Amino acid sequence: MIPFRRPSASITDALDYEIAQEQASALGRAGRALETALAALSEYDRNGQDAAEMRRTLVADAGDALWRFVIQRECCGLRDARAVMRDYRVPQEVQNQMGVFRSARRRRT
């Protein structure tokens, strides 16, 4: 133990470390969810399928994943969402769906 150091400081440091670990873990999960949603949309488009309702669902899912990721980044102090849009190559239609809440019926599926 360092002389003159308050014993409670080590508890606070440990708690801060645990909080930072959880924030990083949650950010990683949210980023992977966004990547998965964008990949599903891209795969759907690449296969040239023409079911409009399915595509709308994929866009909405990607918009939801984007919203969750941006919120988690903001909780970590990362405020510039433009970097996310650029680095993840988020289509404009997905950006437009960010934060748009679907009806209760569609959320259950």
Side-chain angles (χ1 to χ4, degrees):
M1 185 186 244
I2 300 171
F4 306 111
R5 185 171 179 168
R6 296 185 326 241
S8 63
S10 62
I11 293 171
T12 304
D13 292 344
L15 184 58
D16 288 344
Y17 179 76
E18 290 293 324
I19 290 170
Q21 274 189 313
E22 182 54 36
Q23 283 180 324
S25 180
L27 184 59
R29 286 190 303 272
R32 286 188 297 278
L34 175 59
E35 288 173 344
T36 300
L38 290 174
L41 178 59
S42 178
E43 181 68 23
Y44 185 84
D45 287 345
R46 197 172 19 260
N47 289 334
Q49 298 170 344
D50 193 31
E53 182 62 30
M54 179 61 161
R55 189 166 193 291
R56 276 194 296 274
T57 299
L58 290 171
V59 170
D61 289 347
D64 185 57
L66 175 63
W67 179 74
R68 292 171 187 272
F69 183 59
V70 168
I71 293 299
Q72 187 60 45
R73 281 176 47 89
E74 288 181 359
C75 290
C76 294
L78 304 168
R79 306 272 188 250
D80 187 9
R82 292 175 299 187
V84 172
M85 306 311 163
R86 182 187 64 244
D87 294 345
Y88 285 83
R89 296 185 184 103
V90 179
Q92 188 63 47
E93 65 185 327
V94 172
Q95 292 178 41
N96 294 342
Q97 287 295 310
M98 183 173 85
V100 175
F101 299 102
R102 296 178 267 180
S103 69
R105 188 183 117 256
R106 287 187 61 193
R107 269 186 289 192
R108 281 184 258 158
T109 59

